[in-house]
Amino acid sequence: MMPFAYSKPDSIEQAVQQAGPDARFIAGGTNLLDLMKENVERPARVIDITGLPLREVRTTANGGLQIGALVSNAELAWHLDVEARYPLLSQAILAGASPQLRNMASTGGNLLQRTRCHYFYDAAVPCNKRAPGSGCPARDGLNRQHAILGASEHCVAVHPSDMCVALAALEARVLVHGRQGEREIPFADFHRLPGATPERDNCLAEDELIVAIALPPPPFVACSHYLKLRDRASYAFALVSVAAGLVVADDNSIAGLRVALGGVAHKPWRDVGLERSMLGRPATRESYAAFADALLRDARPLAHNAFKITLAKNAIIRALTQAQAAEEHP
Amino acid sequence: MSDVPSAPNTHAIGLYINGEQHHLQVPPWLTLLDLLRDELDLVGTKKGCDHGQCGACTVLRNGRRVNACLTLAIMCDGDELTTIEGLAHGDRLHPLQQAFIAHDAFQCGYCTPGQICSAVGMAREGRARSRAQIQEAMSGNLCRCGAYSNIVAAVEEALPQMGGPRP
């Protein structure tokens, strides 16, 4: 790890004043320190934000939940309100990382973790995300884990988070604080597709700090399911994951449907228009299969990851079926 | 040494490690793992991958299990830490240490301190009860000798002796 200067601001204002291109905020450190050991990140200054008052989980006036950015992944997954009202979020968090890492990692940091693309992590090879303009060895290299949706010629990396897939389905909002004050970002707009600037994972400005995540009142409770498929049963990144939520009307038609995919793109993948087009259709396996086909219709496989298309379709059908079963047998 | 001024890039921190207070000067980039092993000679905590993937460096920070390799020492100022050296009471082994011996839950032993600290943290979390839950809850600790089945058996046996899962 390269030497760096350290500061620990007492207030959010101080923290954002100290921000800059040569600095990184640190909270759990689980991803940042790993990247610093690999020389992928080489900040001259590290700003420790763990002294800031961002550890609260509270119910909001509209019946939603506001989660402080420093709440650990473990605390959040096991928070009574999250377990009872947002089980999808709880399941997604517990599907990720290890118990040790979940004790350390923060809510805000989970959103900001970088891709685990091997080429991004290897500072000895080109990578447009790490060194803009240097090229993308993953496109024609080992790309079994890489994107099938929304990729560009510059980058085929995928976002590694499980929690973010659930937050996308729950339509969370990201509260950020910068020198100009606070703003709220809808979750769908927070992460970005790589396009010609894959070095940018999200829409945060340099001086902006995530202070909280706001969840609207739960759109579904029992009728949701997080399904994660990976190479081993635990402690691995998703090849494909699905956060599914469902509302079924009395006549067994679909009254609400949300599906976010992980492991397939540079950000959690959703198609809200397609979800709306399913309303009123029968809540059956056939409908879910039609939805899955349509959601994957623009998928473009690389040399080693065509299997992800079939895997994703089947995972969607299974997650929605499980969500429906959870509603019928809570 | 006392009259040597501290280097400009070191910071004073205080840590309670295994019940003992330490006043230390650390550079910001020193990990908790390197501090324990290289500065304090607490070499029971092991360096495996040094990237948070193997769990050999697991210690308890304020009662919670963490990877010491991905923790900056400077960020632990004021914290209470327990390492494998702090679990036994004199010659009386911790129930998990006893269970690991009884079940032959290791071969080379390199991952064992991390396994045991992790299991202590798991017991405090109070979530894992069944064998399958223990396997999942211990998945952050790799054992390249493959002693997993004996590790799970040892943890399962010791769990009730550690206060058991919370109600």
Side-chain angles (χ1 to χ4, degrees):
Chain A
M1 203 167 357
M2 306 271 288
F4 55 85
Y6 170 87
S7 65
K8 188 173 182 182
D10 297 322
S11 70
I12 295 167
E13 288 69 26
Q14 249 181 45
V16 299
Q17 283 305 327
Q18 292 177 10
D22 62 334
R24 288 287 181 272
F25 294 123
I26 191 168
T30 55
N31 190 211
L32 179 65
L33 293 175
D34 193 26
L35 292 167
M36 286 167 67
K37 289 182 182 192
E38 295 286 1
N39 278 330
V40 174
E41 291 276 6
R42 282 178 290 184
R45 298 182 294 126
V46 169
I47 305 164
D48 176 359
I49 59 166
T50 58
L52 304 183
L54 303 172
R55 295 184 185 275
E56 196 184 39
V57 180
R58 64 177 176 86
T59 307
T60 54
N62 70 352
L65 208 62
Q66 184 158 321
I67 303 152
L70 290 174
V71 174
S72 77
N73 288 183
E75 284 172 283
L76 185 58
W78 288 335
H79 191 277
L80 292 178
D81 282 341
V82 176
E83 285 192 313
R85 299 173 63 221
Y86 302 93
L88 181 69
L89 179 57
S90 214
Q91 287 170 20
I93 294 170
L94 294 174
S98 69
Q100 289 93 321
L101 292 168
R102 293 195 297 266
N103 278 340
M104 303 163 74
S106 69
T107 300
N110 192 306
L111 270 63
L112 299 179
Q113 57 178 314
R114 312 292 314 267
T115 185
R116 293 329 196 265
C117 172
H118 303 308
Y119 301 99
F120 172 73
Y121 250 80
D122 182 353
V125 303
C127 167
N128 287 325
K129 186 181 275 300
R130 177 170 30 76
S134 61
C136 174
R139 269 211 86 84
D140 299 310
L142 297 171
N143 48 37
R144 181 171 176 272
Q145 298 179 321
H146 291 72
I148 52 171
L149 287 162
S152 73
E153 59 178 299
H154 305 283
C155 182
V156 293
V158 296
H159 197 264
S161 170
D162 290 293
M163 186 179 91
C164 289
V165 184
L167 291 177
L170 292 166
E171 298 189 348
R173 299 177 75 80
V174 187
L175 278 56
V176 307
H177 197 110
R179 286 184 203 129
Q180 311 300 318
E182 290 217 13
R183 69 175 175 128
E184 254 188 61
I185 307 165
F187 207 80
D189 301 334
F190 182 79
H191 295 105
R192 54 190 299 285
L193 292 178
T197 51
E199 67 275 19
R200 293 189 56 212
D201 292 348
N202 56 61
C203 70
L204 277 187
E206 217 159 64
D207 63 307
E208 284 180 322
L209 174 71
I210 298 174
V211 293
I213 302 294
L215 295 179
F220 36 73
V221 179
C223 44
S224 66
H225 189 70
Y226 189 74
L227 176 63
K228 180 175 183 179
L229 301 170
R230 45 190 157 173
D231 283 327
R232 58 184 182 217
S234 184
Y235 199 15
F237 290 99
L239 291 165
V240 168
S241 71
V242 185
L246 196 61
V247 182
V248 180
D250 289 340
D251 65 353
N252 202 46
S253 68
I254 297 172
L257 179 144
R258 293 189 193 176
V259 169
L261 297 181
V264 296
H266 202 254
K267 60 186 283 188
W269 192 263
R270 266 186 84 187
D271 184 337
V272 175
L274 183 64
E275 291 172 9
R276 280 203 200 103
S277 75
M278 297 303 291
L279 302 184
R281 296 180 59 166
T284 59
R285 193 180 194 285
E286 290 66 36
S287 299
Y288 307 151
F291 173 82
D293 278 339
L295 187 59
L296 274 299
R297 107 201 114 208
D298 294 327
R300 295 286 175 271
L302 301 159
H304 306 122
N305 68 3
F307 74 97
K308 279 194 179 186
I309 298 176
T310 316
L311 196 65
K313 286 181 183 176
N314 289 335
I316 291 167
I317 297 167
R318 190 165 125 202
L320 283 166
T321 309
Q322 300 271 70
Q324 191 172 358
E327 190 198 30
E328 285 159 7
H329 310 283
Chain B
M1 287 293 284
S2 60
D3 57 350
V4 177
S6 61
N9 218 340
T10 67
H11 299 245
I13 61 166
L15 300 176
Y16 297 88
I17 305 173
N18 300 329
E20 197 180 314
Q21 183 149 26
H22 295 258
H23 297 284
L24 303 154
Q25 283 288 135
V26 296
W29 51 88
L30 183 69
T31 64
L32 177 60
L33 177 59
D34 288 344
L35 174 74
L36 291 171
R37 289 183 56 84
D38 300 344
E39 311 286 328
L40 301 175
D41 205 28
L42 290 167
V43 293
T45 306
K46 301 297 187 228
K47 183 178 280 199
C49 68
D50 208 24
H51 286 282
Q53 296 174 5
C54 75
C57 66
T58 303
V59 298
L60 298 161
R61 179 181 178 193
N62 299 325
R64 292 194 179 89
R65 47 180 168 162
V66 299
N67 300 113
C69 73
L70 292 182
T71 301
L72 292 178
I74 196 171
M75 291 176 71
C76 297
D77 187 21
D79 289 352
E80 199 175 304
L81 300 158
T82 305
T83 68
I84 190 70
E85 291 91 343
L87 288 180
H89 292 284
D91 287 340
R92 191 157 56 86
L93 294 180
H94 186 278
L96 265 166
Q97 293 173 313
Q98 201 67 61
F100 266 63
I101 294 170
H103 287 270
D104 197 17
F106 40 71
Q107 187 174 311
C108 82
Y110 197 79
C111 72
T112 310
Q115 298 278 2
I116 289 177
C117 285
S118 187
V120 172
M122 186 203 81
R124 286 186 189 167
E125 288 159 12
R127 295 281 171 157
R129 294 167 172 79
S130 68
R131 186 165 267 254
Q133 287 168 334
I134 291 170
Q135 285 172 336
E136 170 62 30
M138 292 296 292
S139 66
N141 293 81
L142 304 188
C143 169
R144 292 295 77 163
C145 302
Y148 291 113
S149 53
N150 293 6
I151 291 170
V152 173
V155 173
E156 198 176 18
E157 182 189 276
L159 198 52
Q161 303 167 53
M162 291 186 284
R166 78 175 178 217

